Amino acid sequence: MKNVLQFLSFTTLAAGVALPAPRALYFLENNPAGANIVSLKVSSKDGSLSDPARVPTGGNGLVGVGNTGAAVAMDTLFSQDAVVVSGSHLFTVNPGANTVSMFTIPNRDPWHPQLVGSPVSSGGDFPMSIAYSPRHQLACVANSGAKNNVQCYEVTDTGLRSSGDPMALPLNQTTPPVGPPSTVSDIVFNPSQSALFVTIKGDGTAPGYIYAYPVAHGKVLPTPRVSRPAALGLNFGLSFLGSDSRAVIADPGFGGAFLDIDCNMNAVVSKVVNVTGNAANCWSQYSADLHTAYLLDAATTDIAVLDAASMEIKSTIAGPAATTGKFDAAIGDDYLYTLDATDSVSVYSLKDSTAVQTFNLTGFGNRQFFQGMAFYGGRVY
Ligand SMILES: *[C@@H]1O[C@H](CO)[C@@H](O)[C@H](O)[C@H]1NC(C)=O
Ligand SMILES: *[C@@H]1O[C@H](CO)[C@@H](O)[C@H](O)[C@H]1NC(C)=O
Ligand SMILES: *[C@@H]1O[C@H](CO)[C@@H](O)[C@H](O)[C@H]1NC(C)=O
């Protein structure tokens, strides 16, 4: 979950016995035949995973196309944040139905999120990333297909209600889109929720885009501030670093970069981080506890650990060789959870910089469709 610190550690039973709050990890199964949220149980003792289960989203998935014209084998949405959790809300996208689903998460049974009403129109084609502002009770989705834009919603107890018209994005795309270049990557509110940020990959030659829309009086205003730092090409996963003025962004061309964002929402690169051995660093995460950021590479097992203060690469966490690469990720308690290039989710202890578990999903489902990652319970970022 994005930058919203939540403390939910112990629940006291009537008998006075304190039990650890249930924890869950979620990802989207972006299946064209019917999409699901997959939930996993998370141990409060050691962060380890068990018991994958599906809940239908009420919509369908759709797989992006690579530059050869074939459906891509992984990262089928070319995105970060296809699933977002905040408090007891879970939001996700149905790229094949052009809809968005909202769930509530039962506190004692977070492994069975409950769909609220029916999925609602995404306002465009191929929704692939979603953001939520608890302060404004606003959700906003990015669409990356032929009709690429941003649509926001008021979040009510009975579901999502459109808030304003779709706000156009600059891509010349098809549905499904051809990528990764020239696709939308990520949509995120800043920590104070005074602005909504969208990252968009360049075409492979020109710089990518960072769109920032101001939020005023509980509404996202339609005129964005557009930044195109020359150092960034394939602007991908965006993570704020605890304040509105600093963020880290992954760029599969070289690794990632630290951004400074001024009060007019203009973003400039404060430091390029060239990751040695970079193949495709697309996803980023931030731990407020450790003040470190993480870059996840689709084709290498190593995770780059960045010191958010010095902006240096502090260390590298070695992933199990068998997992071959890392995709979407989430941090809960002091564990990092990653979708692997293989049909598995790995768990890392961030305090020890060690791999704790690789939970094998072979036999459960088709890796191609797995996308997004979010955590519930415990300490969430
Ligand atoms: C958009 O893409 C189509 C097909 O790829 C191309 O023919 C057209 O010229 C492009 N338009 C713009 C404005 O770039
Ligand atoms: C990163 O690598 C690029 C390309 O090799 C180089 O131009 C740039 O100076 C490097 N930047 C840093 C901060 O090392
Ligand atoms: C998961 O299990 C399958 C079947 O046993 C095996 O082929 C595969 O290598 C395992 N994956 C990982 C990442 O260990």
Side-chain angles (χ1 to χ4, degrees):
M1 195 195 73
K2 299 160 188 173
N3 304 307
V4 183
L5 199 62
Q6 178 195 47
F7 286 97
L8 197 82
S9 50
F10 290 94
T11 309
T12 308
L13 295 182
V17 181
L19 282 181
R23 291 147 161 82
L25 188 72
Y26 309 98
F27 61 84
L28 172 66
E29 190 173 36
N30 179 39
N31 186 342
N36 298 291
I37 287 294
V38 176
S39 66
L40 292 140
K41 290 188 178 165
V42 178
S43 160
S44 57
K45 286 207 192 74
D46 63 4
S48 64
L49 301 171
S50 64
D51 300 309
R54 290 184 171 89
V55 175
T57 65
N60 300 84
L62 188 62
V63 172
V65 173
N67 59 13
T68 60
V72 295
M74 275 174 242
D75 187 28
T76 55
L77 302 182
F78 311 119
S79 78
Q80 177 163 302
D81 292 315
V83 182
V84 62
V85 166
S86 174
S88 60
H89 294 299
L90 184 152
F91 302 92
T92 196
V93 292
N94 300 300
N98 298 331
T99 59
V100 166
S101 298
M102 170 176 163
F103 293 83
T104 53
I105 302 174
N107 179 31
R108 299 312 305 172
D109 181 16
W111 310 290
H112 297 95
Q114 294 169 353
L115 193 60
V116 179
S118 304
V120 298
S121 168
S122 72
D125 298 331
F126 201 76
M128 34 45 74
S129 180
I130 191 158
Y132 177 62
S133 160
R135 179 178 155 202
H136 302 297
Q137 296 183 308
L138 275 178
C140 296
V141 67
N143 293 286
S144 190
K147 204 167 148 196
N148 48 89
N149 57 30
V150 171
Q151 172 70 57
C152 294
Y153 308 89
E154 289 167 34
V155 175
T156 74
D157 290 345
T158 53
L160 300 168
R161 246 195 333 249
S162 293
S163 168
D165 293 326
M167 302 177 286
L169 292 175
L171 296 173
N172 183 10
Q173 263 295 1
T174 51
T175 306
V178 179
S182 299
T183 57
V184 187
S185 299
D186 199 3
I187 186 166
V188 208
F189 282 95
N190 65 3
S192 75
Q193 300 153 59
S194 62
L196 175 70
F197 284 73
V198 179
T199 61
I200 302 170
K201 301 166 203 80
D203 63 6
T205 54
Y209 305 79
I210 300 169
Y211 273 50
Y213 302 88
V215 182
H217 310 296
K219 288 210 175 264
V220 174
L221 304 184
T223 307
R225 162 70 68 147
V226 180
S227 305
R228 300 189 73 183
L232 300 175
L234 297 170
N235 307 21
F236 215 114
L238 179 69
S239 299
F240 279 86
L241 302 172
S243 79
D244 291 347
S245 59
R246 295 189 65 227
V248 70
I249 187 167
D251 187 317
F254 51 87
F258 285 90
L259 300 174
D260 279 342
I261 297 155
D262 69 18
C263 52
N264 295 316
M265 303 179 306
N266 194 49
V268 297
V269 168
S270 46
K271 184 163 187 182
V272 166
V273 180
N274 285 335
V275 176
T276 307
N278 167 71
N281 274 287
C282 296
W283 299 271
S284 68
Q285 284 292 309
Y286 170 63
S287 162
D289 254 16
L290 303 170
H291 204 39
T292 47
Y294 303 86
L295 297 175
L296 295 307
D297 191 314
T300 67
T301 51
D302 285 352
I303 299 168
V305 184
L306 314 183
D307 185 314
S310 71
M311 300 190 282
E312 300 293 337
I313 298 180
K314 191 171 146 178
S315 59
T316 298
I317 303 176
T323 58
T324 70
K326 310 269 163 286
F327 290 69
D328 294 274
I331 295 176
D333 298 314
D334 287 313
Y335 298 98
L336 176 72
Y337 298 88
T338 63
L339 268 184
D340 299 328
T342 45
D343 205 348
S344 55
V345 176
S346 290
V347 185
Y348 296 86
S349 161
L350 295 180
K351 289 221 156 119
D352 311 334
S353 292
T354 53
V356 172
Q357 184 194 25
T358 293
F359 187 77
N360 197 325
L361 289 159
T362 303
F364 175 79
N366 182 348
R367 168 64 184 92
Q368 181 185 28
F369 300 143
F370 298 170
Q371 183 85 37
M373 186 135 286
F375 184 92
Y376 171 85
R379 290 196 316 291
V380 174
Y381 301 100

